[in-house]
Every structure is written in structure tokens, then in C-alpha cells.
Amino acid sequence: MSTKKATSALISVFHKDGLEPIVKKFQELGITIYSTGGTEKFIRDLGIEVIPVEEVTSYPSILGGRVKTLHPKVFGGILNRQDNESDVAQLEEFEIPQLDIVIVDLYPFEKTVASGASEQDIIEKIDIGGISLIRAAAKNYKDVLCVSSMEDYSEFLTVISRDNGSTTLEDRKQFAAKSFNVSSHYDTAIFNYFNKDHAIASLKISELNGKVLRYGENPHQRGFFFGDFEAMFSKLHGKELSYNNLLDVDAAVLLMNEFRKDAPTFAILKHNNACGLATRDSIHQAYVDALAGDPVSAFGGILISNVEIDAATANEIHKLFCEVVIAPSYADDALEILKGKKNRIILIQNETDLPETIVRTCLNGLLVQDKDHKTDTVPDLKYVTEKEPSKAELEDLIFASKLCKHTKSNTIVLAKNKQLCASGTGQTSRVDALNQAIHKAKSFNFDLEGAVMASDAFFPFPDCVEISHKNGISSVIQPGGSIKDQLSIDYCNENGVAMVMTGTRHFKH
């Protein structure tokens, strides 16, 4: 293991938080410090000696600070190979100081983009000198230790204090890996900003926040989550979320986004599909009626509300074993009730942007598509039958369509009075999906007279409208687009069923 004692360091950082203990440790260890601009002033204000980079390069900071460290005397000090006689001789010949430690961070490009800043401000936050220093120092890890983020200050301070300023090759290689993680993520963010319109068919994904899960979909599979869960949720109680929990939470959030501005709405999901959904005047009644949709499947489910959960609702929820409860907020007494089960996961959903694309592995590559942001609305509807839906039926049709969009294909959704009666999910035949939904609704004593039916894709034959009509369905919503649409329209006209078409298919595989 190659141990190397540091005698010099270059520090040039945007964020000064946490830097003071490191600078004081360098002073204690007798490490010569070189620095630039604001960092140099910060160090000098601490009463610690620091050499301006300009004294080394004989060049001032120019172009409004765009060029400070881009100079052979800086990069020579970083990139030289200490075991190469020619490199060492050239350092002496050109009076280049050896730099053993480089502490550099990058301009906050992503935060500047997220702030809505002007394009000019964003461009100015594309770091040139910093990224070059990081890459150079990380490349030459055999001789140089690179600290590329304030997140690593504490670990670095431990390393440098362990043996009076000496570091091992293993230390330096580990910090090099961290540095290339930072630099690759930074470049990815910049590329994605310039390629917002996807003119270049290239996929670059980078997530710095990774978490090891207990396991994957099954205990024999490894599982990881890459993302900023804490930005999206405040976890108030319960055990750690599993791989399957996270998938169900994702499905719940996407479904409830359809009802964010609606009256109090409650959904219960199991295996990514809703088994209960209702919109009511109170969240308590919405939960009670959502549970009635399938009280059996609700066991161990994921619960989500679009409004604050009160004590009355919490008391009802507490009777059910459920994995996760999600809401924008909780009344204090409701929260205490829900905390009555130690493993129950309680989340507050925060306002945050979600990815605009869906990525999944496929064969030896990846499939990427835009999210389905289309929500069917009344103005979208094409009235194709002699009988038109009533106002109440129109509300139920839109309700059912929103749910249908978030249910695995092939799917049929039956709804009445803004309540899910039943759905047929993930069937290879649309008729099977319908029969499954009807059987399930009847098993929970739903009266389907006057209910509505939603389908995620068109009917190639009139069999579905015939079966639904014979079971009391009065109105149907579907995309249309089959060459045999007229067969279904004719059946509806002959039997007094209203049908509307959206023109939009909502497959979900």
C-alpha cells in the first residue's frame, strides 16, 4: 500500500461550509495552501497563510473570473508523476509546485436551472476550471488526493488526521472514484439541459442519491433505489420502504395526481392497481367507500388521499392492516392514531417535479417514452350514439377513465357515483377483463344498474358492450379507432346505451 505524506494543497471552492476545520488542520500539519479568489479571502480571514495562485502562474484572474486556474503551472503541479524522473525534472525547471491535495467543487448548475434563472445565468454556472481540476487530480490519484464535494469534507478530515497528513493509495483511489462520480453527473446535467427537446437521440441518466434496499422484488434479488426520496416525501413513521412498496407508492402518486384538484378522493392500491377509489364530500366517506370497492384486496395495501386525513378517517384506517399511508397532511390526532401500528409507513407527499419520461430495461437495452400526461376531459369526448350520457354519467365516465389509465392492460373499469365498483386488470382478453370486473362487483354486492364502463382501448367487436348492457351498464367510455367501431355503436343504439369516444388509448403494460 503506497502511503504518501501531503505537503501542499490547492483549494478553490464555491461552497465554503465545512471548510474551516480542514484549513486549520492543514495549518497544524504544515501543509502549504494555494488558493483563488473568494476561497483565498476566506482562508486569509481565518488568519491562515495562503499563497494566491496568481503568484504561481504570474497571471491574474481574467475574463471576469472565467479563467483562474487554467495554467500549465497549476495542472503541471497536479498531473506530474512523482515516479517519473522527467516529470520531476520539469517541475524543477519550470518552477512548478507539486500539489498533493486538490479541494474543488463545482458551480451549482442544477440548482441554477431549477431556480428558473435566465439562460445567461445558467451558462455562467457551467464550470470549466473546476471540472478540469477534478478530472486532472482524480486521474493522477497515485500522487494526488482529490476532494470534489463538500459532502466529503468530514470523511477527508478523518483521513488526513489519521496519520499526520499521510494518505494511502486506497484512500486516493476511493476519492478519485467519488470525483469521477461528481464530474460525470455534472456533465450529464449539462447535456440534458441542452438536449431538452431530445434532438439528439441519446439517453443519459445520473442519480447521486442511491440507497440499498433490503432486497428487490423477491428476497433472493438485490434491490436499489436511486433518487431523492426525502425531497418528495416526509416520512413520519414506520419501517423502511421496500422495493415493492416503492413501486406501489409510485403507482399511488401517479393515480392520485389525476384527482389532485377534485373533491376529497381516497384510493387503495395493491400490486400497482387500484382496488378501491371514491370521491366524496368528506375524506372519511371517501375512504369508507373506497374500502368497500374491495375490502379483501385492501389488506396490506397502499392508501393515498388528496386532502388532509382527519381523526375520523384515521380511526377507520387503523382497523385495516396496510403498508403505507400517503397524504398531503395529517391532523395531529389523526397522526397519533395512525402511529398506533409501529411498522405502518406514514408519508407526507411534498410538492415536487416528477420525471417527464419512463425508462425501463428491455432485451439488451432500454426503452424510453414520454409519460402519459393526457387526461380525458368532457370537451375531449365524441358523442357517437343516439343517447347521450347524463351529467352524472359524464362525471362517472371521466372518473372511470382516469382510473382506467392507471390500471394494467387489458383493463375494464366499472364505476358508479364516483366510486370504483370493480376492475378487470392485466387480462389477455378484454372480454375476460370485463367478466372479471362484473364478477368482482357482484361478489361485493354492487348494483351495476346505471353504472358506467371504461376501457383502455377500443372494442374490436360488440361483445363487451353487449355483456355490460346485460349487466346494467348504462354508459360507456372508450378510445374508439377500431375498423369495427360501428358494430358497438349499433348495439348501443339498439339497446339505449350511451357511448362516448375519447380518441386516446391508455395502454399500460
Side-chain angles (χ1 to χ4, degrees):
M1 186 179 295
S2 177
T3 300
K4 188 174 187 295
K5 186 172 180 62
T7 61
S8 61
L10 170 65
I11 309 176
S12 181
V13 296
F14 184 88
H15 301 97
K16 313 300 189 295
D17 298 344
L19 186 62
E20 182 177 344
I22 292 174
V23 174
K24 288 182 175 178
K25 176 56 70 173
F26 284 173
Q27 182 186 43
E28 176 188 326
L29 295 170
I31 294 174
T32 302
I33 303 173
Y34 299 88
S35 191
T36 63
T39 309
E40 177 196 336
K41 182 179 184 304
F42 174 84
I43 297 170
R44 201 176 298 283
D45 287 347
L46 292 174
I48 295 174
E49 187 175 346
V50 57
I51 300 173
V53 166
E54 290 92 330
E55 286 189 13
V56 177
T57 64
S58 299
Y59 269 90
S61 172
I62 62 173
L63 307 182
R66 279 190 165 197
V67 180
K68 296 189 288 284
T69 56
L70 295 168
H71 192 279
K73 284 197 171 184
V74 174
F75 282 86
I78 296 170
L79 284 166
N80 72 89
R81 294 156 292 188
Q82 287 290 288
D83 59 356
N84 184 296
E85 290 183 7
S86 176
D87 284 8
V88 174
Q90 285 188 324
L91 289 187
E92 185 174 348
E93 178 184 358
F94 296 109
E95 299 181 338
I96 299 173
Q98 164 67 22
L99 296 172
D100 303 312
I101 296 170
V102 173
I103 302 178
V104 180
D105 63 5
L106 300 172
Y107 294 154
F109 178 81
E110 288 180 281
K111 287 184 178 179
T112 305
V113 172
S115 73
S118 68
E119 183 173 29
Q120 184 56 42
D121 287 340
I122 290 170
I123 298 304
E124 289 304 315
K125 289 299 184 289
I126 297 177
D127 208 315
I128 304 301
I131 200 78
S132 302
L133 290 168
I134 287 172
R135 289 178 63 84
K139 173 181 178 177
N140 202 28
Y141 68 88
K142 286 186 177 181
D143 291 307
V144 182
L145 190 148
C146 181
V147 183
S148 55
S149 169
M150 61 185 293
E151 303 298 325
D152 297 325
Y153 285 177
S154 177
E155 182 181 354
F156 169 71
L157 190 58
T158 299
V159 168
I160 203 70
S161 303
R162 185 184 56 210
D163 189 17
N164 295 319
S166 294
T167 63
T168 65
L169 180 62
E170 183 180 341
D171 292 330
R172 298 191 295 276
K173 192 170 185 178
Q174 179 184 354
F175 275 89
K178 290 173 178 283
S179 298
F180 284 121
N181 185 32
V182 167
S183 66
S184 62
H185 178 81
Y186 197 73
D187 285 340
T188 295
I190 293 169
F191 169 76
N192 287 334
Y193 171 77
F194 279 95
N195 197 42
K196 285 181 290 191
D197 59 355
H198 305 293
I200 302 173
S202 178
L203 174 65
K204 298 190 188 301
I205 301 173
S206 178
E207 287 289 347
L208 294 178
N209 298 306
K211 182 176 183 181
V212 179
L213 303 174
R214 295 197 303 273
Y215 50 81
E217 203 162 8
N218 298 291
H220 61 279
Q221 296 168 267
R222 291 193 302 164
F224 306 86
F225 173 72
F226 295 96
D228 192 352
F229 185 85
E230 285 71 25
M232 186 164 182
F233 296 102
S234 299
K235 184 167 175 281
L236 305 181
H237 182 73
K239 62 183 180 180
E240 291 298 310
L241 281 90
S242 69
Y243 182 98
N244 292 332
N245 287 155
L246 289 167
L247 285 175
D248 284 330
V249 167
D250 177 67
V253 167
L254 293 178
L255 171 61
M256 194 53 72
N257 277 351
E258 304 285 346
F259 299 90
R260 286 178 64 186
K261 298 180 180 179
D262 291 9
T265 300
F266 208 104
I268 304 172
L269 289 90
K270 196 75 172 289
H271 299 300
N272 301 171
N273 291 310
C275 57
L277 180 69
T279 298
R280 294 291 182 262
D281 291 334
S282 72
I283 197 59
H284 173 262
Q285 194 60 50
Y287 170 74
V288 170
D289 290 347
L291 181 63
D294 188 343
V296 175
S297 296
F299 183 86
I302 307 294
L303 280 56
I304 186 166
S305 167
N306 69 342
V307 297
E308 180 173 280
I309 291 180
D310 56 22
T313 309
N315 273 318
E316 292 297 329
I317 293 172
H318 195 58
K319 299 173 185 177
L320 175 73
F321 167 71
C322 59
E323 291 276 351
V324 184
V325 182
I326 309 167
S329 60
Y330 301 83
D332 291 343
D333 47 359
L335 187 57
E336 289 308 308
I337 294 166
L338 293 174
K339 285 182 176 179
K341 299 285 179 67
K342 70 175 183 177
N343 287 330
R344 180 183 286 146
I345 299 165
I346 304 173
L347 303 176
I348 288 179
Q349 184 180 345
N350 305 318
E351 288 288 335
T352 186
D353 292 331
L354 294 173
E356 293 294 315
T357 54
I358 297 171
V359 181
R360 61 192 295 184
T361 57
C362 180
L363 302 176
N364 63 344
L366 299 167
L367 282 173
V368 181
Q369 67 168 344
D370 296 335
K371 278 191 173 175
D372 183 358
H373 288 302
K374 174 65 177 174
T375 298
D376 298 326
T377 61
V378 172
D380 297 323
L381 304 182
K382 180 181 179 182
Y383 300 86
V384 296
T385 53
E386 295 168 0
K387 181 181 179 182
E388 293 190 359
S390 66
K391 181 181 178 182
E393 285 174 330
L394 277 175
E395 291 178 351
D396 281 345
L397 289 169
I398 296 301
F399 174 92
S401 174
K402 289 179 179 180
L403 176 51
C404 194
K405 170 184 167 182
H406 293 275
T407 308
K408 294 287 186 180
S409 300
N410 286 319
T411 186
I412 292 289
V413 169
L414 305 180
K416 184 177 179 180
N417 299 326
K418 295 184 181 177
Q419 178 184 20
L420 171 63
C421 300
S423 58
T425 64
Q427 299 302 305
T428 54
S429 160
R430 198 160 301 280
V431 172
D432 287 347
L434 174 57
N435 285 330
Q436 180 191 54
I438 291 171
H439 172 77
K440 194 171 185 179
K442 289 184 175 180
S443 71
F444 292 114
N445 299 314
F446 278 100
D447 179 7
L448 293 178
E449 286 294 327
V452 305
M453 173 175 71
S455 173
D456 62 333
F458 62 62
F459 300 122
F461 305 102
D463 44 10
C464 282
V465 291
E466 180 178 355
I467 294 168
S468 63
H469 165 249
K470 289 180 177 178
N471 283 275
I473 304 298
S474 63
S475 193
V476 178
I477 185 169
Q478 57 126 328
S482 168
I483 59 174
K484 296 184 178 180
D485 274 346
Q486 195 59 45
L487 295 177
S488 295
I489 295 171
D490 289 344
Y491 180 89
C492 289
N493 284 335
E494 291 166 7
N495 292 276
V497 176
M499 184 162 66
V500 295
M501 294 183 180
T502 64
T504 303
R505 188 184 73 186
H506 293 292
F507 270 162
K508 188 171 185 287
H509 287 88

